[in-house]
Amino acid sequence: MPTPQLAIRTVIFSLLGNVALAVIKFLAGIFGNSYALIADAIESTVDIFSSLLVLLGMRYANRPADENHPYGHGKIEPLVTFLVVGFLIFSAITIATQSIENIQTPHELPESWTLLVLGAIIIWKEISYQVVLRRSKKLKSSALKAEAWHHRSDAITSVAAFVGISIALFGGPGFEVADDYAALIACGFILYNCYGIFRPALGEVMDENNHEELIAEIREVSLTVPGVKGTEKCFIRKAGMKYHVDLHATVDGRQTVREGHDIAHLLKDTLRREIPQLGHVLIHIEPS
């Protein structure tokens, strides 16, 4: 399956899962008297909107390069990631605020059957996390990585809710607030994950040249091209799922401009064929 279609199908998988879980959590939280589950449902609802943002961003990022965007539209991905992080922070603040209010307000114990619901949710969310994270690594997509961490954050809040409800049920009357403290603790995990998502996306926008493994692969492939004696500078900028490369290659200084030009084209074509995730490749010829 082509890379763009795989990325979009992955986001749709997340979106449909979040819609189903949001409904299940809200109903279980209301009828099971558990704010930790309702807080979990709030996060899943926010995840629906963030998944829609990621989906729209993916579609825009896959538009071909044009006159105004010669390097393509991939930079929309980290920008969408920033919005997703904003949604996560908003959901964490919302959950924390309501949890604090609930701690100060007496309420009934949650129902024991909510633990079964949470157990199933935790398993499904962890599976979703592993699936989306694996595809984010395969596709080198920061937006999909953010989507994967959404699933992990959701799993963490569900684990916290599971622990809180278990303590409340085991402790009995007087331990009702354990459910709310669990939701409050989950907010800390969500905020922590926000930084883990935000930092790589910021590096992508700032064109951080921290792609050592890819640089090593580019240098190795370059030496297989006839006429290339070695490589010098190699700069990489990531945009969406593509890597744009500026490479200095050394050739025999006695060759003509035409011969150097032909070697540069051969090198460019070879790199893009052998390393499919490369986008724009600029070759600068240096005499050896």
Side-chain angles (χ1 to χ4, degrees):
M1 182 184 298
T3 294
Q5 283 77 8
L6 179 59
I8 290 171
R9 287 189 63 175
T10 302
V11 178
I12 292 175
F13 163 79
S14 293
L15 178 62
L16 295 177
N18 287 332
V19 170
L21 288 181
V23 174
I24 292 171
K25 289 175 183 178
F26 266 122
L27 293 175
I30 291 171
F31 292 106
N33 195 37
S34 169
Y35 182 69
L37 259 173
I38 294 175
D40 220 355
I42 292 172
E43 187 188 1
S44 290
T45 302
V46 172
D47 287 350
I48 293 171
F49 291 104
S50 65
S51 294
L52 286 171
L53 275 175
V54 172
L55 183 60
L56 292 174
M58 286 281 185
R59 290 188 180 279
Y60 185 82
N62 290 324
R63 293 174 62 180
D66 54 37
E67 186 177 349
N68 293 327
H69 305 88
Y71 290 93
H73 301 77
K75 285 293 184 183
I76 192 68
E77 267 208 35
L79 298 180
V80 168
T81 302
F82 293 155
L83 291 175
V84 171
V85 169
F87 272 114
L88 274 173
I89 293 173
F90 173 77
S91 65
I93 293 172
T94 301
I95 294 169
T97 301
Q98 190 60 52
S99 297
I100 292 171
E101 290 181 6
N102 285 358
I103 289 170
Q104 299 170 346
T105 306
H107 55 81
E108 298 177 5
L109 286 168
E111 298 290 340
S112 58
W113 56 263
T114 55
L115 292 177
L116 297 176
V117 175
L118 279 168
I121 289 171
I122 291 168
I123 293 172
W124 173 252
K125 273 299 179 179
E126 185 59 26
I127 292 173
S128 299
Y129 166 75
Q130 295 295 340
V131 169
V132 179
L133 184 67
R134 192 180 304 116
R135 291 183 182 179
S136 75
K137 291 178 178 179
K138 178 181 179 180
L139 302 175
K140 310 295 182 184
S141 170
S142 61
L144 276 184
K145 183 179 180 181
E147 188 71 12
W149 274 102
H150 252 140
H151 291 299
R152 173 54 65 85
S153 296
D154 215 359
I156 289 171
T157 56
S158 295
V159 168
F162 189 94
V163 172
I165 293 173
S166 298
I167 293 173
L169 291 172
F170 182 79
F175 285 82
E176 298 90 347
V177 293
D179 178 49
D180 303 303
Y181 277 113
L184 197 57
I185 292 171
C187 294
F189 284 106
I190 294 172
L191 292 175
Y192 175 78
N193 288 333
C194 283
Y195 176 78
I197 299 169
F198 174 81
R199 185 61 187 85
L202 179 63
E204 189 173 329
V205 170
M206 297 298 292
D207 289 332
E208 284 185 349
N209 192 37
N210 56 355
H211 310 286
E212 290 79 9
E213 291 184 7
L214 183 56
I215 289 175
E217 185 178 3
I218 288 171
R219 294 191 190 283
E220 183 179 348
V221 171
S222 297
L223 293 177
T224 65
V225 176
V228 176
K229 303 296 183 181
T231 56
E232 294 182 356
K233 297 176 183 177
C234 183
F235 301 136
I236 297 177
R237 291 171 290 164
K238 186 173 184 294
M241 291 176 281
K242 290 293 184 179
Y243 294 83
H244 304 305
V245 180
D246 295 339
L247 177 67
H248 288 213
T250 56
V251 301
D252 189 335
R254 294 169 297 181
Q255 291 182 309
T256 65
V257 173
R258 171 62 65 184
E259 290 171 330
H261 173 80
D262 292 340
I263 292 173
H265 267 282
L266 179 60
L267 175 56
K268 175 182 177 179
D269 294 341
T270 302
L271 287 172
R272 296 191 66 180
R273 183 182 67 251
E274 297 297 323
I275 311 176
Q277 65 264 37
L278 296 188
H280 185 79
V281 178
L282 177 64
I283 306 296
H284 176 78
I285 296 296
E286 296 274 6
S288 65

